[in-house]
Coordinates of all heavy atoms in Angstrom, one line a residue:
M278 N 15.3 60.1 4.7 CA 14.0 59.6 5.0 C 14.0 58.1 4.8 O 14.5 57.6 3.8 CB 13.0 60.3 4.1 CG 11.6 59.8 4.3 SD 10.5 60.9 3.3 CE 9.3 61.1 4.5
F279 N 13.4 57.4 5.7 CA 13.3 56.0 5.7 C 12.0 55.5 5.1 O 11.0 56.1 5.4 CB 13.4 55.4 7.1 CG 14.7 55.5 7.7 CD1 15.0 56.5 8.7 CD2 15.7 54.6 7.4 CE1 16.2 56.6 9.2 CE2 17.0 54.7 7.9 CZ 17.2 55.7 8.9
T280 N 12.1 54.5 4.3 CA 10.9 53.8 3.8 C 10.7 52.6 4.5 O 11.6 51.7 4.6 CB 11.1 53.5 2.3 OG1 11.4 54.7 1.6 CG2 9.8 52.9 1.7
M281 N 9.5 52.4 5.1 CA 9.2 51.2 5.9 C 8.8 50.1 5.0 O 7.9 50.2 4.1 CB 8.1 51.6 6.8 CG 7.9 50.9 8.1 SD 9.3 50.9 9.1 CE 8.6 50.0 10.4
I282 N 9.5 49.0 5.1 CA 9.2 47.8 4.3 C 8.6 46.8 5.2 O 9.2 46.4 6.2 CB 10.4 47.2 3.6 CG1 11.0 48.3 2.6 CG2 10.1 46.0 2.8 CD1 12.3 47.8 2.0
E283 N 7.4 46.4 4.9 CA 6.7 45.4 5.7 C 7.2 44.0 5.3 O 7.4 43.7 4.2 CB 5.2 45.5 5.5 CG 4.6 46.7 6.1 CD 3.1 46.7 6.0 OE1 2.5 45.6 6.1 OE2 2.5 47.7 5.9
S284 N 7.4 43.2 6.3 CA 7.8 41.8 6.0 C 6.6 41.1 5.6 O 5.5 41.4 6.0 CB 8.4 41.2 7.2 OG 7.5 41.2 8.3
P285 N 6.8 40.1 4.7 CA 5.6 39.4 4.2 C 5.0 38.6 5.4 O 5.6 38.2 6.3 CB 6.2 38.4 3.2 CG 7.6 38.3 3.5 CD 8.0 39.6 4.2
P286 N 3.7 38.4 5.3 CA 3.0 37.7 6.4 C 3.6 36.2 6.5 O 3.9 35.6 5.5 CB 1.5 37.6 5.9 CG 1.5 38.0 4.5 CD 2.8 38.7 4.2
Q287 N 3.7 35.8 7.7 CA 4.2 34.4 7.9 C 3.1 33.4 7.5 O 2.0 33.5 8.0 CB 4.6 34.2 9.4 CG 5.8 35.1 9.8 CD 7.0 34.7 9.0 OE1 7.3 33.5 8.8 NE2 7.8 35.7 8.7
L288 N 3.5 32.5 6.7 CA 2.5 31.4 6.4 C 2.6 30.4 7.5 O 3.6 30.0 7.9 CB 2.9 30.8 5.1 CG 2.9 31.7 3.9 CD1 3.4 31.0 2.6 CD2 1.5 32.3 3.6
A289 N 1.4 29.9 7.9 CA 1.3 28.9 8.9 C 1.8 27.6 8.3 O 1.4 27.3 7.1 CB -0.1 28.8 9.4
T290 N 2.6 26.8 9.0 CA 3.0 25.5 8.5 C 1.8 24.6 8.7 O 1.2 24.6 9.7 CB 4.2 25.0 9.2 OG1 3.9 25.0 10.6 CG2 5.5 25.9 9.0
P291 N 1.6 23.8 7.6 CA 0.5 22.9 7.7 C 0.7 21.8 8.8 O 1.9 21.4 9.0 CB 0.4 22.2 6.3 CG 1.7 22.5 5.7 CD 2.3 23.7 6.4
P292 N -0.3 21.3 9.4 CA -0.1 20.3 10.4 C 0.4 19.0 9.7 O 0.1 18.8 8.6 CB -1.4 20.1 11.1 CG -2.4 20.6 10.1 CD -1.7 21.7 9.3
L293 N 1.2 18.2 10.5 CA 1.6 17.0 9.9 C 0.4 16.1 9.6 O -0.6 16.1 10.3 CB 2.5 16.2 10.9 CG 3.8 16.9 11.2 CD1 4.6 16.2 12.2 CD2 4.7 17.0 9.9
A294 N 0.5 15.4 8.5 CA -0.7 14.6 8.1 C -0.8 13.4 9.1 O 0.2 12.8 9.5 CB -0.4 14.0 6.7
K295 N -2.0 13.2 9.5 CA -2.3 12.1 10.4 C -2.3 10.8 9.6 O -2.8 10.8 8.4 CB -3.7 12.3 11.0 CG -3.7 13.4 12.0 CD -5.1 13.5 12.6 CE -5.2 14.7 13.5 NZ -6.5 14.9 14.1
P296 N -1.8 9.7 10.1 CA -1.8 8.5 9.4 C -3.3 8.1 9.1 O -4.1 8.2 10.0 CB -1.1 7.5 10.3 CG -0.5 8.3 11.4 CD -1.1 9.6 11.4
R297 N -3.6 7.7 7.9 CA -4.9 7.3 7.6 C -5.1 5.8 8.1 O -4.2 5.0 8.0 CB -5.2 7.4 6.1 CG -5.1 8.8 5.6 CD -5.3 8.9 4.2 NE -4.4 8.0 3.5 CZ -4.5 7.6 2.2 NH1 -5.5 8.1 1.5 NH2 -3.7 6.8 1.6
P298 N -6.3 5.4 8.4 CA -6.5 4.0 8.8 C -6.1 3.1 7.7 O -5.7 2.0 8.0 CB -8.0 3.9 9.1 CG -8.5 5.3 9.3 CD -7.5 6.2 8.6
T299 N -6.3 3.5 6.5 CA -5.9 2.6 5.4 C -4.4 2.4 5.3 O -4.0 1.3 4.9 CB -6.4 3.1 4.0 OG1 -5.9 4.4 3.8 CG2 -7.9 3.2 3.9
D300 N -3.6 3.3 5.7 CA -2.2 3.2 5.8 C -1.8 2.0 6.7 O -0.9 1.2 6.3 CB -1.5 4.4 6.2 CG -1.6 5.6 5.2 OD1 -2.0 5.3 4.1 OD2 -1.4 6.7 5.6
A301 N -2.5 1.9 7.8 CA -2.2 0.8 8.7 C -2.6 -0.6 8.1 O -1.9 -1.5 8.3 CB -2.9 1.0 10.0
V302 N -3.7 -0.6 7.4 CA -4.1 -1.8 6.7 C -3.1 -2.2 5.6 O -2.7 -3.4 5.5 CB -5.5 -1.7 6.2 CG1 -5.9 -3.0 5.4 CG2 -6.5 -1.5 7.3
V303 N -2.7 -1.2 4.8 CA -1.7 -1.5 3.8 C -0.4 -2.1 4.4 O 0.2 -3.0 3.9 CB -1.4 -0.3 2.9 CG1 -0.2 -0.5 2.0 CG2 -2.6 0.1 2.1
E304 N 0.0 -1.5 5.5 CA 1.2 -2.0 6.2 C 1.0 -3.5 6.7 O 1.9 -4.3 6.5 CB 1.5 -1.1 7.4 CG 2.8 -1.4 8.1 CD 3.1 -0.4 9.2 OE1 3.0 0.8 8.9 OE2 3.5 -0.8 10.3
Q305 N -0.2 -3.8 7.2 CA -0.5 -5.1 7.5 C -0.5 -6.1 6.3 O 0.0 -7.2 6.4 CB -2.0 -5.2 8.1 CG -2.1 -5.0 9.6 CD -3.6 -5.3 9.9 OE1 -4.5 -4.6 9.5 NE2 -3.8 -6.3 10.8
L306 N -1.0 -5.6 5.2 CA -1.0 -6.4 4.0 C 0.4 -6.8 3.6 O 0.7 -7.9 3.3 CB -1.8 -5.7 2.9 CG -3.3 -5.5 3.2 CD1 -3.9 -4.6 2.1 CD2 -4.0 -6.8 3.2
H307 N 1.2 -5.7 3.5 CA 2.6 -5.9 3.1 C 3.4 -6.8 4.1 O 4.2 -7.7 3.7 CB 3.3 -4.6 2.9 CG 2.9 -3.9 1.7 ND1 2.8 -2.5 1.6 CD2 2.5 -4.3 0.5 CE1 2.4 -2.1 0.4 NE2 2.2 -3.2 -0.3
R308 N 3.1 -6.6 5.4 CA 3.7 -7.5 6.4 C 3.3 -9.0 6.2 O 4.1 -9.9 6.3 CB 3.4 -7.0 7.8 CG 4.3 -7.6 8.9 CD 4.0 -7.1 10.3 NE 3.7 -5.7 10.3 CZ 2.6 -5.1 10.7 NH1 1.6 -5.9 11.1 NH2 2.4 -3.8 10.7
A309 N 2.0 -9.2 5.9 CA 1.6 -10.5 5.7 C 2.2 -11.2 4.5 O 2.6 -12.4 4.6 CB 0.0 -10.5 5.5
L310 N 2.4 -10.5 3.5 CA 3.1 -11.0 2.3 C 4.6 -11.3 2.6 O 5.1 -12.3 2.2 CB 3.0 -10.0 1.1 CG 1.7 -9.9 0.5 CD1 1.6 -8.8 -0.5 CD2 1.2 -11.2 -0.2
A311 N 5.2 -10.4 3.4 CA 6.6 -10.6 3.7 C 6.8 -11.7 4.6 O 7.8 -12.5 4.5 CB 7.2 -9.3 4.3
E312 N 5.9 -12.0 5.6 CA 6.0 -13.0 6.5 C 5.8 -14.4 5.9 O 6.1 -15.4 6.5 CB 5.1 -12.8 7.7 CG 5.5 -11.7 8.6 CD 4.5 -11.3 9.7 OE1 3.4 -11.9 9.7 OE2 4.8 -10.5 10.5
S313 N 5.3 -14.4 4.7 CA 5.1 -15.7 4.0 C 6.4 -16.4 3.7 O 6.5 -17.6 3.4 CB 4.3 -15.6 2.7 OG 5.1 -15.0 1.7
K314 N 7.5 -15.6 3.7 CA 8.8 -16.1 3.4 C 9.0 -16.6 1.9 O 9.9 -17.3 1.6 CB 9.3 -17.1 4.4 CG 9.2 -16.6 5.8 CD 10.3 -17.1 6.7 CE 10.2 -16.8 8.1 NZ 9.9 -15.6 8.7
R315 N 8.1 -16.3 1.1 CA 8.2 -16.7 -0.3 C 8.8 -15.5 -1.0 O 8.2 -14.5 -1.2 CB 6.8 -16.9 -0.9 CG 6.1 -18.1 -0.4 CD 6.7 -19.3 -1.1 NE 5.9 -20.5 -0.7 CZ 6.0 -21.6 -1.3 NH1 6.8 -21.7 -2.4 NH2 5.3 -22.7 -0.9
C316 N 10.1 -15.7 -1.5 CA 10.8 -14.6 -2.1 C 10.1 -14.2 -3.4 O 10.2 -13.0 -3.8 CB 12.2 -14.9 -2.3 SG 12.5 -16.3 -3.4
G317 N 9.3 -15.1 -4.0 CA 8.6 -14.7 -5.2 C 7.5 -13.7 -5.0 O 7.0 -13.2 -6.0
L318 N 7.1 -13.4 -3.8 CA 6.1 -12.5 -3.5 C 6.6 -11.1 -3.3 O 5.9 -10.1 -3.0 CB 5.2 -12.9 -2.3 CG 4.4 -14.2 -2.5 CD1 3.7 -14.5 -1.2 CD2 3.4 -14.0 -3.7
R319 N 7.9 -10.9 -3.4 CA 8.5 -9.5 -3.2 C 8.0 -8.5 -4.2 O 8.0 -7.3 -4.0 CB 10.0 -9.6 -3.3 CG 10.6 -10.3 -2.0 CD 12.1 -10.3 -2.1 NE 12.6 -11.1 -1.0 CZ 13.8 -11.7 -0.9 NH1 14.6 -11.6 -2.0 NH2 14.1 -12.4 0.1
G320 N 7.6 -9.0 -5.4 CA 7.1 -8.1 -6.4 C 5.7 -7.7 -6.2 O 5.1 -6.9 -7.0
A321 N 5.0 -8.3 -5.2 CA 3.6 -8.0 -5.0 C 3.4 -6.8 -4.1 O 4.1 -6.6 -3.1 CB 2.9 -9.2 -4.4
R322 N 2.6 -5.8 -4.5 CA 2.3 -4.6 -3.7 C 0.8 -4.6 -3.5 O 0.0 -5.2 -4.3 CB 2.8 -3.4 -4.4 CG 4.2 -3.4 -4.8 CD 5.2 -3.6 -3.7 NE 5.1 -2.7 -2.6 CZ 5.6 -2.9 -1.4 NH1 6.1 -4.0 -1.0 NH2 5.5 -2.0 -0.4
C323 N 0.4 -3.8 -2.5 CA -1.1 -3.7 -2.2 C -1.5 -2.3 -2.1 O -0.8 -1.4 -1.7 CB -1.4 -4.4 -0.8 SG -0.8 -6.1 -0.8
R324 N -2.8 -2.1 -2.4 CA -3.5 -0.8 -2.1 C -4.8 -1.3 -1.4 O -5.2 -2.4 -1.5 CB -3.9 -0.1 -3.4 CG -2.7 0.7 -4.0 CD -3.2 1.4 -5.2 NE -2.8 0.5 -6.3 CZ -3.1 0.7 -7.5 NH1 -3.8 1.7 -7.9 NH2 -2.7 -0.2 -8.4
F325 N -5.3 -0.3 -0.6 CA -6.5 -0.7 0.2 C -7.4 0.5 0.3 O -7.0 1.6 0.6 CB -6.1 -1.1 1.6 CG -7.3 -1.5 2.4 CD1 -7.8 -2.8 2.3 CD2 -7.8 -0.7 3.4 CE1 -8.9 -3.2 3.0 CE2 -8.9 -1.1 4.2 CZ -9.5 -2.3 4.0
E326 N -8.7 0.3 0.0 CA -9.7 1.4 0.1 C -11.0 0.8 0.3 O -11.5 -0.1 -0.5 CB -9.6 2.2 -1.2 CG -10.5 3.5 -1.1 CD -10.4 4.4 -2.3 OE1 -9.4 4.3 -3.0 OE2 -11.4 5.1 -2.6
A327 N -11.7 1.3 1.3 CA -13.1 0.9 1.6 C -13.3 -0.6 1.6 O -14.2 -1.2 1.1 CB -14.0 1.5 0.5
G328 N -12.4 -1.3 2.3 CA -12.5 -2.8 2.5 C -12.0 -3.6 1.3 O -12.0 -4.8 1.4
V329 N -11.5 -3.0 0.2 CA -11.1 -3.7 -1.0 C -9.6 -3.6 -1.0 O -9.0 -2.5 -1.1 CB -11.7 -3.1 -2.2 CG1 -11.2 -3.9 -3.5 CG2 -13.2 -3.2 -2.2
A330 N -8.9 -4.8 -1.0 CA -7.5 -4.8 -1.2 C -7.2 -5.1 -2.7 O -7.8 -6.0 -3.3 CB -6.9 -5.9 -0.4
T331 N -6.3 -4.3 -3.3 CA -5.9 -4.5 -4.7 C -4.4 -4.9 -4.7 O -3.6 -4.2 -4.2 CB -6.1 -3.2 -5.5 OG1 -7.5 -2.8 -5.4 CG2 -5.8 -3.5 -7.0
L332 N -4.2 -6.1 -5.3 CA -2.8 -6.6 -5.5 C -2.3 -6.2 -6.8 O -3.1 -6.3 -7.8 CB -2.8 -8.1 -5.4 CG -3.0 -8.7 -4.0 CD1 -3.4 -10.2 -4.1 CD2 -1.7 -8.6 -3.2
H333 N -1.1 -5.7 -6.9 CA -0.5 -5.3 -8.2 C 1.0 -5.6 -8.2 O 1.5 -5.8 -7.1 CB -0.8 -3.9 -8.6 CG -0.4 -2.9 -7.6 ND1 0.8 -2.2 -7.7 CD2 -0.9 -2.5 -6.4 CE1 1.0 -1.4 -6.7 NE2 -0.1 -1.5 -5.9
G334 N 1.6 -5.7 -9.3 CA 3.0 -6.0 -9.4 C 3.1 -7.3 -10.3 O 2.2 -7.6 -11.0
T335 N 4.3 -7.9 -10.1 CA 4.6 -9.1 -10.9 C 5.1 -10.2 -10.1 O 5.9 -10.0 -9.1 CB 5.7 -8.7 -12.0 OG1 5.2 -7.6 -12.7 CG2 6.0 -9.8 -12.9
V336 N 4.7 -11.4 -10.3 CA 5.1 -12.6 -9.7 C 5.5 -13.6 -10.7 O 5.2 -13.5 -11.9 CB 4.1 -13.2 -8.7 CG1 3.8 -12.3 -7.5 CG2 2.8 -13.5 -9.4
D337 N 6.2 -14.7 -10.3 CA 6.8 -15.6 -11.3 C 5.9 -16.8 -11.7 O 6.2 -17.5 -12.6 CB 8.1 -16.2 -10.7 CG 9.2 -15.2 -10.5 OD1 9.2 -14.2 -11.3 OD2 10.1 -15.4 -9.6
S338 N 4.8 -17.0 -11.0 CA 3.9 -18.1 -11.3 C 2.5 -17.8 -10.9 O 2.2 -17.0 -10.1 CB 4.4 -19.4 -10.7 OG 4.2 -19.3 -9.3
F339 N 1.6 -18.6 -11.6 CA 0.2 -18.5 -11.2 C -0.1 -18.9 -9.8 O -0.9 -18.4 -9.1 CB -0.7 -19.3 -12.2 CG -2.1 -19.2 -11.9 CD1 -2.8 -18.1 -12.3 CD2 -2.8 -20.2 -11.3 CE1 -4.2 -18.0 -12.1 CE2 -4.2 -20.1 -11.1 CZ -4.9 -19.0 -11.4
Y340 N 0.7 -19.9 -9.3 CA 0.6 -20.4 -7.9 C 0.9 -19.2 -7.0 O 0.2 -19.0 -6.0 CB 1.6 -21.5 -7.7 CG 1.8 -21.9 -6.2 CD1 0.8 -22.6 -5.6 CD2 2.9 -21.4 -5.5 CE1 0.9 -22.9 -4.2 CE2 3.0 -21.7 -4.1 CZ 2.0 -22.5 -3.5 OH 2.1 -22.8 -2.2
L341 N 2.0 -18.4 -7.2 CA 2.3 -17.3 -6.4 C 1.2 -16.2 -6.4 O 0.9 -15.6 -5.4 CB 3.7 -16.7 -6.7 CG 4.9 -17.6 -6.4 CD1 6.1 -17.0 -6.9 CD2 5.0 -17.8 -4.9
K342 N 0.6 -16.0 -7.6 CA -0.5 -15.1 -7.7 C -1.7 -15.5 -6.8 O -2.2 -14.7 -6.0 CB -1.0 -15.0 -9.1 CG -2.1 -14.1 -9.4 CD -2.5 -14.0 -10.9 CE -3.7 -13.1 -11.0 NZ -3.9 -12.7 -12.4
Q343 N -2.0 -16.8 -6.8 CA -3.1 -17.3 -6.0 C -2.7 -17.3 -4.5 O -3.5 -17.0 -3.6 CB -3.4 -18.7 -6.4 CG -4.1 -18.8 -7.7 CD -5.4 -18.0 -7.8 OE1 -5.4 -16.9 -8.4 NE2 -6.4 -18.4 -7.1
L344 N -1.4 -17.6 -4.2 CA -0.9 -17.6 -2.8 C -1.0 -16.2 -2.2 O -1.5 -16.0 -1.1 CB 0.5 -18.1 -2.8 CG 1.1 -18.2 -1.4 CD1 0.4 -19.1 -0.5 CD2 2.6 -18.6 -1.5
A345 N -0.6 -15.2 -3.0 CA -0.7 -13.8 -2.5 C -2.2 -13.5 -2.1 O -2.4 -12.9 -1.1 CB -0.2 -12.9 -3.5
Q346 N -3.1 -13.9 -3.0 CA -4.5 -13.6 -2.7 C -5.0 -14.3 -1.4 O -5.7 -13.7 -0.7 CB -5.3 -14.1 -3.9 CG -6.8 -13.9 -3.8 CD -7.5 -14.2 -5.1 OE1 -7.1 -13.8 -6.2 NE2 -8.5 -15.1 -5.0
E347 N -4.6 -15.5 -1.2 CA -5.0 -16.2 0.0 C -4.4 -15.6 1.2 O -5.0 -15.6 2.3 CB -4.7 -17.7 -0.1 CG -5.5 -18.4 -1.2 CD -7.0 -18.1 -1.1 OE1 -7.5 -18.3 0.0 OE2 -7.6 -17.8 -2.1
I348 N -3.2 -15.1 1.2 CA -2.5 -14.5 2.3 C -3.2 -13.2 2.7 O -3.5 -12.9 3.8 CB -1.0 -14.2 2.0 CG1 -0.2 -15.5 2.0 CG2 -0.4 -13.3 3.0 CD1 1.2 -15.4 1.4
I349 N -3.6 -12.4 1.6 CA -4.3 -11.2 1.9 C -5.7 -11.4 2.4 O -6.2 -10.6 3.3 CB -4.4 -10.4 0.5 CG1 -3.0 -10.0 0.1 CG2 -5.3 -9.2 0.6 CD1 -2.2 -9.2 1.1
R350 N -6.3 -12.5 2.0 CA -7.7 -12.8 2.5 C -7.7 -12.9 4.0 O -8.8 -12.7 4.6 CB -8.1 -14.1 1.8 CG -9.6 -14.5 2.1 CD -10.0 -15.8 1.4 NE -9.6 -15.9 0.0 CZ -10.3 -15.3 -1.0 NH1 -11.3 -14.6 -0.8 NH2 -9.9 -15.5 -2.2
R351 N -6.6 -13.3 4.7 CA -6.6 -13.5 6.1 C -6.6 -12.2 6.9 O -6.8 -12.3 8.1 CB -5.4 -14.4 6.5 CG -5.4 -15.7 5.9 CD -4.2 -16.5 6.4 NE -3.9 -17.6 5.4 CZ -2.7 -17.9 5.1 NH1 -1.7 -17.4 5.6 NH2 -2.6 -18.9 4.2
V352 N -6.3 -11.1 6.3 CA -6.3 -9.8 7.0 C -7.7 -9.4 7.3 O -8.5 -9.3 6.4 CB -5.5 -8.7 6.2 CG1 -5.6 -7.4 6.9 CG2 -4.1 -9.2 6.0
P353 N -8.0 -9.2 8.6 CA -9.4 -9.0 9.0 C -10.1 -7.8 8.3 O -11.3 -7.9 8.0 CB -9.3 -8.7 10.5 CG -8.1 -9.3 10.9 CD -7.2 -9.3 9.8
A354 N -9.4 -6.7 8.0 CA -10.1 -5.6 7.4 C -10.5 -5.8 5.9 O -11.3 -5.0 5.3 CB -9.2 -4.3 7.5
V355 N -10.0 -6.8 5.3 CA -10.2 -7.1 3.8 C -11.6 -7.7 3.7 O -11.8 -8.8 4.2 CB -9.1 -7.9 3.2 CG1 -9.4 -8.3 1.8 CG2 -7.7 -7.2 3.3
K356 N -12.4 -7.1 2.9 CA -13.7 -7.6 2.6 C -13.8 -8.1 1.1 O -14.6 -9.0 0.8 CB -14.8 -6.5 2.7 CG -14.8 -5.9 4.1 CD -15.1 -6.9 5.2 CE -15.0 -6.2 6.6 NZ -14.4 -7.0 7.6
A357 N -12.9 -7.6 0.3 CA -12.9 -8.1 -1.1 C -11.5 -7.9 -1.6 O -10.7 -7.1 -1.1 CB -13.9 -7.3 -2.0
I358 N -11.1 -8.7 -2.7 CA -9.8 -8.6 -3.3 C -9.9 -8.5 -4.8 O -10.7 -9.1 -5.4 CB -9.0 -9.9 -2.9 CG1 -8.9 -10.1 -1.4 CG2 -7.6 -9.9 -3.6 CD1 -8.3 -11.4 -1.0
R359 N -9.1 -7.6 -5.3 CA -8.8 -7.4 -6.7 C -7.4 -7.9 -7.0 O -6.5 -7.3 -6.5 CB -9.0 -6.0 -7.2 CG -10.4 -5.5 -7.1 CD -10.5 -4.1 -7.8 NE -11.9 -3.6 -7.6 CZ -12.1 -2.4 -7.1 NH1 -11.2 -1.6 -6.7 NH2 -13.4 -2.1 -6.9
N360 N -7.3 -9.0 -7.7 CA -5.9 -9.5 -7.9 C -5.5 -9.1 -9.3 O -5.8 -9.7 -10.3 CB -5.9 -11.0 -7.8 CG -4.5 -11.6 -7.7 OD1 -3.6 -10.9 -8.1 ND2 -4.4 -12.8 -7.2
H361 N -4.7 -8.0 -9.4 CA -4.1 -7.5 -10.6 C -2.7 -7.9 -10.8 O -1.9 -7.3 -11.6 CB -4.3 -6.0 -10.7 CG -5.7 -5.6 -10.8 ND1 -6.5 -5.7 -11.9 CD2 -6.5 -5.0 -9.9 CE1 -7.7 -5.2 -11.7 NE2 -7.8 -4.8 -10.5
L362 N -2.2 -8.9 -10.1 CA -0.9 -9.4 -10.2 C -0.7 -10.0 -11.6 O -1.5 -10.6 -12.1 CB -0.5 -10.4 -9.2 CG -0.3 -10.0 -7.7 CD1 -0.2 -11.1 -6.8 CD2 0.9 -9.1 -7.6
R363 N 0.5 -9.7 -12.2 CA 0.8 -10.2 -13.5 C 1.8 -11.4 -13.3 O 2.7 -11.3 -12.4 CB 1.5 -9.2 -14.4 CG 0.5 -8.1 -14.9 CD 1.2 -7.1 -15.7 NE 2.4 -6.7 -14.9 CZ 3.0 -5.6 -14.9 NH1 2.5 -4.6 -15.6 NH2 4.0 -5.3 -14.1
V364 N 1.7 -12.4 -14.1 CA 2.6 -13.5 -14.1 C 3.6 -13.3 -15.2 O 3.2 -13.1 -16.3 CB 1.9 -14.9 -14.2 CG1 2.8 -16.0 -14.2 CG2 0.8 -15.0 -13.1
T365 N 4.9 -13.4 -14.9 CA 5.9 -13.2 -15.9 C 5.9 -14.4 -16.8 O 5.7 -15.5 -16.4 CB 7.3 -13.0 -15.3 OG1 7.6 -14.2 -14.5 CG2 7.4 -11.8 -14.4
A366 N 6.1 -14.1 -18.1 CA 6.2 -15.2 -19.1 C 7.6 -15.7 -19.1 O 8.6 -15.0 -19.2 CB 5.8 -14.6 -20.5
I367 N 7.7 -17.0 -18.9 CA 9.0 -17.7 -18.8 C 9.3 -18.3 -20.1 O 8.6 -18.9 -20.8 CB 9.1 -18.7 -17.7 CG1 8.8 -18.0 -16.4 CG2 10.4 -19.4 -17.7 CD1 8.7 -18.9 -15.2

């Protein structure tokens, strides 16, 4: 006598996540920092939410901290900036 074993139900694969509009802005922010050609800004990273860009990471001088802020200010989607960059103590 055969016992029928049912196969488990197939789980639907979730759809691929659509890129969020903020992802495109973060990409713009990182590109703007990279295009500045200041190697000291390589330690700067960005987050973006609801018009607010947040800079974080470490840079070598207060000048670079301010420069990063001014570069980010030029991105049209940015309405406000939180500059949480740390300056390394030399």
Side-chain angles (χ1 to χ4, degrees):
M278 179 173 222
F279 288 103
T280 304
M281 207 54 180
I282 299 175
E283 290 185 31
S284 59
Q287 294 295 322
L288 299 176
T290 57
L293 294 175
K295 292 181 183 176
R297 298 178 306 165
T299 57
D300 293 342
V302 175
V303 169
E304 192 174 308
Q305 270 186 301
L306 295 170
H307 286 147
R308 192 175 324 116
L310 289 171
E312 288 173 356
S313 75
K314 305 218 188 315
R315 292 283 186 162
C316 61
L318 292 178
R319 289 183 186 155
R322 305 305 301 159
C323 304
R324 280 182 265 171
F325 183 78
E326 187 174 335
V329 180
T331 303
L332 287 162
H333 57 97
T335 305
V336 293
D337 293 332
S338 67
F339 183 75
Y340 170 77
L341 290 173
K342 178 176 178 168
Q343 292 301 109
L344 181 62
Q346 181 173 309
E347 293 309 310
I348 289 169
I349 294 305
R350 187 180 312 281
R351 297 182 206 143
V352 175
V355 174
K356 305 299 178 218
I358 299 170
R359 290 187 187 130
N360 193 341
H361 294 286
L362 287 171
R363 290 177 311 212
V364 177
T365 56
I367 299 176

